[in-house]
Amino acid sequence: MNEFQRLTRALLGEGVVAGKMFGKDALKYESKAIACLLADTMGFKVGRDSEAMRTAMAYPGAALFDPSGQGRPFRDWVSVPESSIAHWETLVRAALTAAIEAEDEPKEA
């Protein structure tokens, strides 16, 4: 079983489902993408000012997630290569936490 499938199964009971983002495999919570598999990297929406972002950016090969490959990265997303696959579950859980916290924030009028 590949890591994406393992993570999908691990998070099923927490409201996370597999889906698509830009035609790529993604994990979604409440229909919003929290992780996206792109070639041999996984992008995680952990939040630009989060501790998870700071930690992940220190992993070898990590960068801001740029799914278009045209120099327009998503600032709330970090891309972590397969060489750091051991950290993917921690990062997807941080992305889920960020999504849940964002959902709990009051909406501006």
Side-chain angles (χ1 to χ4, degrees), residues 34 44-50 52-53 56 76-78 91-92 94-95 98:
I34 61 169
F44 303 93
K45 187 177 184 183
V46 294
R48 69 187 77 176
D49 297 323
S50 69
M53 175 69 86
D76 287 326
W77 288 70
V78 62
L91 289 166
V92 78

Side-chain angles (χ1 to χ4, degrees), residues 94-106:
L96 175 59
T97 298
I100 291 168
E101 289 173 355
E103 192 175 68
D104 291 342
E105 289 177 7

Side-chain angles (χ1 to χ4, degrees), residues 48-94:
R48 69 187 77 176
D49 297 323
S50 69
E51 183 64 32
M53 175 69 86
R54 286 187 289 279
T55 300
M57 289 297 284
Y59 300 145
L64 291 179
F65 186 58
D66 182 7
S68 72
Q70 299 191 6
R72 296 188 307 252
F74 294 179
R75 291 180 291 190
D76 287 326
W77 288 70
V78 62
S79 177
V80 178
E82 233 173 31
S83 60
S84 293
I85 202 168
H87 302 290
W88 285 10
E89 185 166 354
T90 300
L91 289 166
V92 78
R93 290 190 179 280

